[in-house]
Amino acid sequence: MIRKTRTASQLQDEVSRRIQRLQEVVDEGVKIRVPRPQLQEPDATGCNWDIKHFGNLGGYQRDVAAIVAAVRKEFNLSTEEKDLNSLFGDATPTAE
C-alpha cells in the first residue's frame, strides 16, 4: 500500500481526531494531548515518523498505540521544506 503524504500538523490532527472518537474517551470526557509527529529514518515498513509522549494518556495506551499504528500505515510525514517567500508572492527585495 502506498502511503499518502501529510504535514506534521495534519498527522497530529488525524491522530487526535481518531483518539477523540474512541467511545471510552467520549464517555469519560478525557482530552488526550497529541504531540507533533517526529521525522525519523524510514523503518522496515517504510514509515518515516512516529509520535511519543502523549499527554493525559491514562489507561488508553493500548488504544492510542493501535491508532498511531493505523495512521502510520496510511501516511508518511512530508519532508518538503516550504519556501516562506512564496507565501508573500514572488517579489524579491530590490536595492534602491
Side-chain angles (χ1 to χ4, degrees), residues 51-80:
I51 296 180
K52 298 177 183 172
H53 311 296
F54 287 82
N56 199 29
L57 197 52
Y60 301 101
Q61 293 91 341
R62 193 169 296 168
D63 293 326
V64 169
I67 288 171
V68 171
V71 176
R72 284 173 43 93
K73 286 181 184 177
E74 293 178 46
F75 302 104
N76 261 343
L77 179 58
S78 173
T79 57
E80 290 182 17

Side-chain angles (χ1 to χ4, degrees), residues 1 10 17 21-22 31 33 36-37 60-62 66 72-73 84-85 87 91-92 95:
M1 179 173 148
Q10 289 171 323
R17 183 182 63 77
R21 285 191 340 203
L22 289 172
K31 196 71 169 165
R33 187 187 61 76
R36 290 181 67 80
Y60 301 101
Q61 293 91 341
R62 193 169 296 168
R72 284 173 43 93
K73 286 181 184 177
L84 295 179
N85 290 331
L87 295 175
T92 54

Side-chain angles (χ1 to χ4, degrees), residues 1 5 16-17 19-20 25-26 28 30 36 38 41-43 48 57-58 60 64 66 69 71 78 81 86 92 94-95:
M1 179 173 148
T5 303
S16 181
R17 183 182 63 77
I19 290 171
Q20 299 310 324
V25 170
V26 171
E28 295 180 20
V30 177
R36 290 181 67 80
Q38 298 298 308
E41 288 296 319
D43 61 16
N48 70 347
L57 197 52
Y60 301 101
V64 169
V71 176
S78 173
E81 302 220 4
S86 69
T92 54
T94 58

Side-chain angles (χ1 to χ4, degrees), residues 6-51:
R6 296 292 185 261
T7 65
S9 293
Q10 289 171 323
L11 291 173
Q12 183 180 27
D13 290 346
E14 181 65 18
V15 171
S16 181
R17 183 182 63 77
R18 292 183 190 196
I19 290 171
Q20 299 310 324
R21 285 191 340 203
L22 289 172
Q23 192 59 51
E24 300 83 19
V25 170
V26 171
D27 290 347
E28 295 180 20
V30 177
K31 196 71 169 165
I32 297 172
R33 187 187 61 76
V34 177
R36 290 181 67 80
Q38 298 298 308
L39 186 64
Q40 65 182 21
E41 288 296 319
D43 61 16
T45 69
C47 186
N48 70 347
W49 63 274
D50 202 1
I51 296 180

